[in-house]
Amino acid sequence: MWVAFKRVVRAGLVGFWRSTFVSFASVFVMTIALFVIGAIMVIDQLLGASLQQIESKVDINVYFNINASEADMQALQTRLESLPEVSEVTFTSREEALTAFRERHRGDELTIQALDELGENPLGASLSVSAGDTTQYEAIARFLDEQRAGESPQAPIIDRVNFVKNKEVIEKLTAIIGVVERASITTMLILVAAAVLITFNTIRLAIYTSREEITVMRLVGASNTFIRGPFMLQGVLYGVVSGVVALIIMYPVLYWLGPGTTTFFNFNIFHYFLSEFVYFSSVIVGSGIALGLVSSALAVSRYLRA
Amino acid sequence: MIYFDKVSKWYNDKESVALENVTFQVAPHEFVSIVGHSGAGKSTLLKMLIAEDRPSEGSVFYESLDIHRIPRGKLPKFRRKIGTVFQDFKLLSNKTAFENIAFAMEANGRDDSEIAENVPQALALVDLEDKAWNFPHELSGGEKQRVAIARAIVNQPDIIIADEPTGNLDPIATYEVVQILRKINDLGTTVIMTTHNKGVIDELGRRVITMDSGRVIRDDATGKYVL
């Protein structure tokens, strides 16, 4: 048993080194396939980051009347926060709103003068409500409508809710996000399928060149395990080498892309790659090993049928 | 030892018949030649013996074992009882003569000390000790066939099957190969050989089975080549 195992390992290693061109071709194709898988992982992350970025910019603003009491506003905030759809509620006080207004209009003498002319703060406090998911804004808006309907008409605390204005934009974004997600999943599936098929075919060709050897092995009475072993080991080696090469190629590519992704998505893909390196390398090398092993086993079994 | 019981083989719904109702026996230590024109069914017969092909009807027995009822997993073990030699040698081109022979032993799970001992013996039997480290492309046709014979016998099989072993060889190499097969037979191994070569048959003076269109038409104990 041990002798057979030793021979299988040796035959696999020798096969890998001796058939240089075939090994090179297989590793080359498999590297591309694994690089595609790696690129898909990166694109998936970037897409996720950009969606989050877009989603975080969407919110519903609730503007309070100037004379709304602190307690009422606080109560509404607490109620909003207790809704399952709501992920975050930010309160902006009247003073903060005024500071932000002055900041925004710095240099605009006329507006600042007009504001100073008024003498008192004309701005109301506001709540900015973010939902966990863009599809949930509708529900939050409905909740706010009910709140307004329940208020006393003499002293309403809510001045206005800007959801109606945002509604169209929110719906459009939700639709776009859905389409992008579906399209990216489809593209990924197609790319992965193509990568797998190309790898499988290359390994099949590599083993086709050894069909004579397989015939001879069968004739001298080698067991199927003994015949299959070296080829499967070669498949694993292809996977490991290709996985490592793919990771080595990804490093400078992501290093180069990193700063760009920071400005565009506010998410540095290179830092992500480094911090999740174990995840990246296990998925890529793991897929390589699985791909090599399954391809080799399937390809050899063609020649083992009695 | 080997028993063909009413074996028939056809392809495509009896459109082409390879073997028709073939029945014969081979006793231990026999040297049997099977002759016939191309397409007479000689090679099909040999393929049945190593379970490379299965009969459409009838059975082939090795001692009391029905060859075509051996489970697939046990076939390799069965094939080790039979050494095979082919017209086109079927040597591995990236291995030396020694490695080609050793390979058959490795596949059988023999350990390295046995290999170191038995391979030179097999090479000596076919008179090729000095070519042990040559690759097949450095050997002549006759030498290649002798390596193939050494590979076939190195596991000490009960039977040697030789399918047109001299088909690609010149007269001198043919003579040498036949002498080696005869020597192997004298040492106690059953030999079954197919051939077209009249000279080989007449020189051997052993049992000859003559086939035509898938049927056995003659079976002579000390045959001549009659066709």
Side-chain angles (χ1 to χ4, degrees):
Chain A
M1 194 64 217
W2 171 241
V3 172
F5 179 74
K6 227 167 52 184
R7 279 177 187 150
V8 163
V9 170
R10 197 182 57 200
L13 291 174
V14 166
F16 185 79
W17 283 120
R18 279 209 190 151
S19 43
T20 328
F21 181 74
V22 170
S23 296
F24 177 76
S26 304
V27 166
F28 185 73
V29 168
M30 219 159 155
T31 303
I32 293 173
L34 294 177
F35 188 77
V36 167
I37 291 175
I40 284 169
M41 290 167 76
V42 166
I43 289 168
D44 185 48
Q45 277 308 321
L46 287 180
L47 210 63
S50 66
L51 292 190
Q52 242 171 24
Q53 185 83 355
I54 292 170
E55 279 175 1
S56 71
K57 286 197 174 139
V58 176
D59 54 10
I60 293 183
N61 290 309
V62 180
Y63 296 99
F64 293 106
N65 272 319
I66 300 172
N67 39 25
S69 78
E70 191 81 15
D72 284 344
M73 294 191 289
Q74 207 109 76
L76 184 64
Q77 182 176 6
T78 321
R79 254 174 294 155
L80 276 169
E81 275 167 348
S82 68
L83 290 180
E85 293 91 348
V86 171
S87 71
E88 206 187 345
V89 181
T90 324
F91 178 76
T92 310
S93 69
R94 298 184 59 193
E95 290 68 36
E96 281 163 351
L98 185 67
T99 319
F101 184 88
R102 280 188 186 281
E103 191 66 26
R104 214 165 42 239
H105 293 277
R106 209 200 336 221
D108 185 352
E109 287 296 330
L110 211 65
T111 312
I112 300 291
Q113 249 170 30
L115 187 70
D116 290 338
E117 212 56 39
L118 274 173
E120 64 169 327
N121 183 358
L123 300 168
S126 66
L127 282 178
S128 145
V129 186
S130 304
D133 191 287
T134 44
T135 53
Q136 288 160 340
Y137 283 108
E138 193 74 53
I140 298 169
R142 226 177 299 123
F143 169 81
L144 287 169
D145 278 344
E146 282 162 23
Q147 288 297 311
R148 290 182 79 179
E151 284 175 352
S152 67
Q154 286 80 31
I157 43 169
I158 298 174
D159 178 28
R160 61 199 160 85
V161 174
N162 76 340
F163 177 68
V164 187
K165 206 168 71 186
N166 278 355
K167 196 176 171 185
E168 217 169 299
V169 181
I170 290 172
E171 274 170 0
K172 235 179 222 168
L173 270 179
T174 312
I176 289 172
I177 288 168
V179 168
V180 168
E181 256 173 355
R182 268 198 302 278
S184 68
I185 287 172
T186 317
T187 321
M188 284 172 197
L189 285 180
I190 292 172
L191 280 176
V192 168
V196 167
L197 283 178
I198 292 171
T199 310
F200 176 63
N201 241 347
T202 311
I203 291 193
R204 213 173 64 173
L205 281 179
I207 289 175
Y208 179 77
T209 60
S210 308
R211 69 198 179 286
E212 208 182 328
E213 196 168 341
I214 295 173
T215 315
V216 173
M217 285 170 125
R218 289 183 56 197
L219 285 174
V220 299
S223 71
N224 285 354
T225 326
F226 187 82
I227 299 175
R228 215 183 271 131
F231 291 105
M232 292 179 66
L233 183 69
Q234 271 183 58
V236 170
L237 284 176
Y238 292 155
V240 172
V241 173
S242 311
V244 170
V245 173
L247 286 170
I248 290 175
I249 296 175
M250 280 178 86
Y251 189 91
V253 170
L254 293 181
Y255 178 80
W256 178 67
L257 284 176
T261 56
T262 314
T263 29
F264 203 77
F265 300 106
N266 198 17
F267 174 79
N268 191 322
I269 193 67
F270 181 65
H271 292 160
Y272 178 77
F273 176 69
L274 288 186
S275 64
E276 296 293 324
F277 188 74
V278 176
Y279 168 64
F280 267 94
S281 52
S282 52
V283 168
I284 288 176
V285 176
S287 327
I289 290 173
L291 209 56
L293 204 61
V294 171
S295 308
S296 304
L298 284 176
V300 179
S301 67
R302 257 178 70 100
Y303 301 104
L304 289 182
R305 266 174 234 142
Chain B
M1 182 180 211
I2 289 165
Y3 182 48
F4 275 74
D5 185 22
K6 301 194 191 89
V7 174
S8 298
K9 176 75 187 182
W10 54 74
Y11 300 98
N12 305 332
D13 277 337
K14 304 203 182 183
E15 259 174 45
S16 67
V17 176
L19 291 177
E20 205 181 327
N21 208 13
V22 171
T23 301
F24 68 91
Q25 293 191 49
V26 177
H29 313 308
E30 259 193 300
F31 193 131
V32 183
S33 304
I34 301 172
V35 301
H37 297 297
S38 298
K42 306 182 301 276
S43 298
T44 313
L45 214 61
L46 296 190
K47 277 188 191 160
M48 301 250 162
L49 257 182
I50 51 172
E52 277 279 289
D53 208 345
R54 41 178 49 247
S56 308
E57 225 171 67
S59 341
V60 184
F61 290 94
Y62 175 84
E63 282 159 358
S64 60
L65 194 68
D66 184 338
I67 290 174
H68 299 96
R69 297 216 168 156
I70 300 174
R72 194 182 282 192
K74 297 218 167 115
L75 269 182
K77 209 166 177 191
F78 167 73
R79 290 202 177 113
R80 291 173 200 172
K81 295 179 201 284
I82 302 175
T84 42
V85 178
F86 294 91
Q87 181 172 4
D88 58 355
F89 322 126
K90 293 205 194 300
L91 295 177
L92 298 177
S93 56
N94 57 357
K95 284 180 158 60
T96 63
F98 187 97
E99 286 168 348
N100 263 288
I101 300 166
F103 180 67
M105 294 190 76
E106 287 179 8
N108 280 260
R110 304 298 189 81
D111 61 50
D112 293 345
S113 61
E114 274 183 292
I115 292 175
E117 193 184 321
N118 292 3
V119 174
Q121 283 172 4
L123 278 166
L125 189 73
V126 297
D127 201 19
L128 275 179
E129 294 114 306
D130 52 335
K131 301 279 170 102
W133 302 109
N134 287 73
F135 285 92
H137 66 89
E138 299 165 340
L139 300 173
S140 73
E143 287 167 340
K144 279 186 224 176
Q145 194 58 292
R146 276 145 64 193
V147 173
I149 293 173
R151 181 180 65 191
I153 58 165
V154 76
N155 287 315
Q156 283 131 17
D158 301 334
I159 310 170
I160 293 282
I161 289 176
D163 192 6
E164 304 273 4
T166 61
N168 281 352
L169 305 179
D170 64 54
I172 293 171
T174 298
Y175 176 79
E176 285 169 352
V177 163
V178 172
Q179 287 310 312
I180 288 167
L181 287 174
R182 199 208 286 257
K183 189 156 78 181
I184 290 165
N185 180 243
D186 288 342
L187 292 170
T189 308
T190 310
V191 178
I192 302 174
M193 172 177 77
T194 67
T195 186
H196 286 307
N197 194 317
K198 185 178 185 325
V200 167
I201 298 299
D202 293 349
E203 209 264 333
L204 271 169
R206 303 288 181 96
R207 181 179 171 193
V208 178
I209 294 173
T210 311
M211 295 193 67
D212 188 38
S213 315
R215 282 172 297 142
V216 173
I217 54 166
R218 290 174 69 101
D219 190 347
D220 306 304
T222 50
K224 293 272 178 192
Y225 190 91
V226 189
L227 262 180

